[in-house]
Amino acid sequence: MPRVSPNPLFHDFPPLQDVLRVRKAGGSLQQPVSEAMTSPVHTVPITATVQEAADLMMDKKVRPLPVVDEDGLLVGMGT
């Protein structure tokens, strides 16, 4: 799981598809995020090409795709 950069522009929040999946399954939106988030977390390194990121998003059916730096810190989200 990626560590989050101390950059205040990035906030952890479950993607909309995770929220909708929980609601559709009758789950509570009051449960911890750890119980609702998609797992395993797929990431792409900041050095990846746009094609590599797009291929991973399509292959794994994930969106958004966390982009991490060489230390594994979250630096952005591929949408």
Side-chain angles (χ1 to χ4, degrees):
M1 176 156 208
R3 297 178 322 221
V4 178
S5 167
N7 185 330
L9 295 176
F10 300 113
H11 301 280
D12 267 344
F13 192 79
L16 179 59
Q17 70 236 24
D18 287 344
V19 173
L20 295 175
R21 180 178 43 79
V22 168
R23 290 201 59 181
K24 185 176 181 179
S28 169
L29 295 181
Q30 300 304 311
Q31 67 184 326
V33 171
S34 61
E35 293 177 13
M37 67 185 205
T38 302
S39 183
V41 175
H42 297 284
T43 63
V44 66
I46 198 166
T47 56
T49 66
V50 172
Q51 183 66 57
E52 290 169 328
D55 288 346
L56 183 60
M57 286 193 297
M58 289 189 303
D59 290 346
K60 300 297 183 182
K61 296 180 175 60
V62 294
R63 190 170 178 186
L65 180 63
V67 179
V68 296
D69 68 10
E70 59 277 351
D71 294 323
L73 292 174
L74 180 66
V75 295
M77 299 295 281
T79 58

